[in-house]
C-alpha cells in the first residue's frame, strides 16, 4: 500500500511560509528607518544627557544646558562613546515596530466603528484610542525594560548592557525595569495616540489623493504628526527619565528638584527637546515604510 498524503498539512505549511516571507519583507522594509535610527543615535544620547541633567549626579560639574556643551562632553569621551546604549536599541527596534504597527491595525478592528461624517468626534477618539492602547501594550510587554537599560548605559554605566541589566535589577529587582512606567503610560498614550491615530486620520482625510502623493510628501505628513505627539508627550517623558536616574524619590520630589535646578517648569519639561526634533525624522520614515510594506502586500 502507498503512503497516504496528509493534504491537511499543506495549507498550514503554506501559511507558515507566507507568514515567514511577510515578516522577512517587513524587516527588509524597516531596514531604512532602522539605519536612520542607528545613524541618529548619538543625537538620541545627547538628548538623554540633556533631559536627565537636573537629577543625574554621574556627571556632576558638567553642563548639558546646550547642544554645544553636550557635544563637547561626548567628544571628550571618545568616538565610540556616542553610541553608548545602542545595543538595547538594536534589540528593541524591529520587534517593537512590528508590535506597534500590526497591533494598531488589529486594535482598530476592536474599537467601535463610527461614521466619520455623522459622528466624527467618536470616530476621531476611536482612532486615537487604538494608537494610545498600542503604545502602552508595546511598552509593557517589550520596549520599556530595554529603554531602561538604554538610559542606564547612555547616562550612567560605562560597561556592557548585561552589566546595566544587573545594576537595574540590583537597585529594584524586576520592578526596576519598569521604574517610572506609571508616569510614562500617559505620555506614551499621548504620543502614540497622536502619531498612529493622527496618521490614520490624515490618510482618511486625503482619501484617494493620499496614494497619489509622493513618498516625500507622505513622509513630511508623518513627520509633522510625530512632532506634534512629541510636543504634547515630552514633559511626561522628562519626569519619568529623571525618576529613573535616582532611587528612593517620588514623582513629586523629582519634579520639584528638576524645576528648581532647571530654573523653571518649561526649562525642565523640555530639556533636550531640540535634540529630540533633530532625531525625530525616524518617525516619519517608520510610518511611510510600514504603509509601503502594506501596499506591496495588496
Amino acid at each position: 500500500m502507498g503512503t497516504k498524503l496528509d493534504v491537511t498539512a499543506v495549507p498550514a505549511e503554506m501559511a507558515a511560509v507566507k507568514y515567514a516571507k511577510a515578516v522577512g519583507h517587513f524587516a527588509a522594509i524597516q531596514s531604512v528607518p532602522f539605519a536612520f535610527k542607528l545613524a541618529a543615535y548619538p543625537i538620541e544620547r545627547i538628548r538623554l544627557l540633556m533631559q536627565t541633567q537636573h537629577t543625574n549626579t554621574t556627571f556632576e560639574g558638567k553642563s548639558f544646558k546646550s547642544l554645544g556643551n553636550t557635544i563637547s562632553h561626548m567628544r571628550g569621551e571618545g568616538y565610540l562613546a556616542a553610541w553608548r546604549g545602542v545595543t538595547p536599541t538594536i534589540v528593541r527596534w524591529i520587534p517593537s515596530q512590528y508590535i506597534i504597527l500590526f497591533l494598531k491595525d488589529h486594535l482598530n478592528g476592536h474599537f467601535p466603528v463610527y461614521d466619520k461624517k455623522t459622528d466624527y468626534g467618536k470616530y476621531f477618539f476611536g482612532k486615537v484610542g487604538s494608537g494610545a492602547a498600542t503604545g502602552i501594550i508595546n511598552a509593557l510587554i517589550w520596549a520599556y525594560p530595554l529603554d531602561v537599560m538604554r538610559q542606564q548605559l547612555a547616562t550612567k554605566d560605562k560597561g556592557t548592557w548585561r552589566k546595566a541589566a544587573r545594576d537595574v535589577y540590583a537597585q529594584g529587582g524586576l520592578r526596576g525595569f519598569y521604574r517610572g512606567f506609571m508616569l510614562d503610560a500617559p505620555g506614551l498614550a499621548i504620543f502614540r495616540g497622536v502619531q498612529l491615530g493622527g496618521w490614520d486620520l490624515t490618510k482618511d482625510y486625503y482619501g484617494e489623493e493620499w496614494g497619489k502623493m509622493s513618498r516625500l510628501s507622505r513622509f513630511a505628513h508623518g513627520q509633522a504628526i510625530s512632532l506634534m505627539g512629541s510636543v504634547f508627550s515630552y514633559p511626561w517623558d522628562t519626569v519619568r527619565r529623571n525618576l529613573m536616574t535616582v532611587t528612593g524619590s517620588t514623582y513629586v520630589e523629582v519634579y520639584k528638584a528638576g524645576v528648581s535646578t532647571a530654573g523653571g517648569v518649561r526649562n525642565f519639561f523640555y530639556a533636550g527637546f531640540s535634540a529630540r526634533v533633530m532625531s525625530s525624522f525616524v518617525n516619519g520614515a517608520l510610518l511611510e515604510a510600514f504603509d509601503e510594506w502594506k501596499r506591496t502586500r495588496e
Side-chain angles (χ1 to χ4, degrees):
M1 293 180 64
T3 303
K4 187 176 180 181
L5 177 64
D6 184 6
V7 295
T8 60
V10 176
E13 292 175 359
M14 291 177 63
V17 171
K18 185 177 180 181
Y19 178 77
K21 287 183 177 179
V23 172
H25 191 198
F26 175 81
I29 290 291
Q30 288 297 315
S31 64
V32 175
F34 179 66
F36 286 167
K37 184 74 173 178
L38 291 183
Y41 186 80
I43 306 175
E44 277 287 294
R45 187 172 176 233
I46 289 171
R47 192 256 300 184
L48 291 174
L49 288 171
M50 295 177 70
Q51 197 174 16
T52 61
Q53 63 181 298
H54 305 299
T55 56
N56 189 357
T57 59
T58 304
F59 301 104
E60 197 164 3
K62 296 286 186 178
S63 175
F64 299 133
K65 291 184 178 181
S66 69
L67 285 170
N69 289 340
T70 312
I71 292 171
S72 296
H73 167 77
M74 288 176 56
R75 283 177 177 170
E77 290 183 320
Y79 175 76
L80 293 179
W83 276 269
R84 270 175 51 188
V86 73
T87 302
T89 298
I90 293 173
V91 174
R92 182 185 62 166
W93 179 255
I94 289 183
S96 187
Q97 307 320 309
Y98 189 90
I99 293 169
I100 289 171
L101 297 170
F102 281 87
L103 185 59
K104 183 261 297 183
D105 284 352
H106 177 74
L107 289 178
N108 271 335
H110 289 273
F111 275 70
V113 179
Y114 295 100
D115 190 330
K116 61 183 177 182
K117 294 182 179 179
T118 59
D119 288 308
Y120 187 79
K122 295 178 180 178
Y123 175 80
F124 175 88
F125 283 107
K127 291 291 186 182
V128 173
S130 66
T134 297
I136 293 174
I137 292 171
N138 171 65
L140 187 63
I141 66 176
W142 179 255
Y144 198 86
L146 290 167
D147 189 55
V148 170
M149 286 190 286
R150 176 184 72 146
Q151 180 170 317
Q152 183 79 7
L153 285 167
T155 63
K156 285 190 173 185
D157 287 344
K158 295 183 179 180
T160 65
W161 69 280
R162 292 184 181 86
K163 180 182 181 299
R166 288 195 297 268
D167 289 346
V168 171
Y169 184 81
Q171 292 170 10
L174 291 177
R175 292 178 62 183
F177 291 97
Y178 287 91
R179 180 164 173 76
F181 180 79
M182 294 304 295
L183 183 68
D184 194 42
L188 282 169
I190 293 169
F191 177 71
R192 293 300 181 187
V194 173
Q195 183 198 37
L196 301 178
W199 182 247
D200 284 344
L201 289 166
T202 301
K203 291 188 293 184
D204 287 347
Y205 174 79
Y206 283 105
E208 294 181 358
E209 292 298 317
W210 182 256
K212 299 175 183 178
M213 291 183 181
S214 66
R215 287 189 177 92
L216 180 60
S217 179
R218 292 194 297 264
F219 162 78
H221 280 78
Q223 186 66 8
I225 293 165
S226 297
L227 280 175
M228 187 184 302
S230 294
V231 170
F232 294 141
S233 64
Y234 198 80
W236 300 88
D237 188 60
T238 297
V239 178
R240 72 98 175 178
R241 289 195 181 279
N242 280 273
L243 184 71
M244 287 161 56
T245 65
V246 295
T247 56
S249 296
T250 65
Y251 297 118
V252 175
E253 289 170 344
V254 167
Y255 167 77
K256 288 181 177 179
V259 171
S260 175
T261 307
V265 174
R266 188 182 66 177
N267 291 342
F268 175 56
F269 277 173
Y270 286 94
F273 190 72
S274 56
R276 169 69 173 171
V277 172
M278 291 172 62
S279 65
S280 66
F281 62 86
V282 175
N283 293 311
L286 166 68
L287 294 170
E288 173 55 22
F290 180 63
D291 271 17
E292 179 69 22
W293 179 84
K294 289 200 294 185
R295 284 191 288 271
T296 63
R297 304 298 300 170
E298 294 174 352

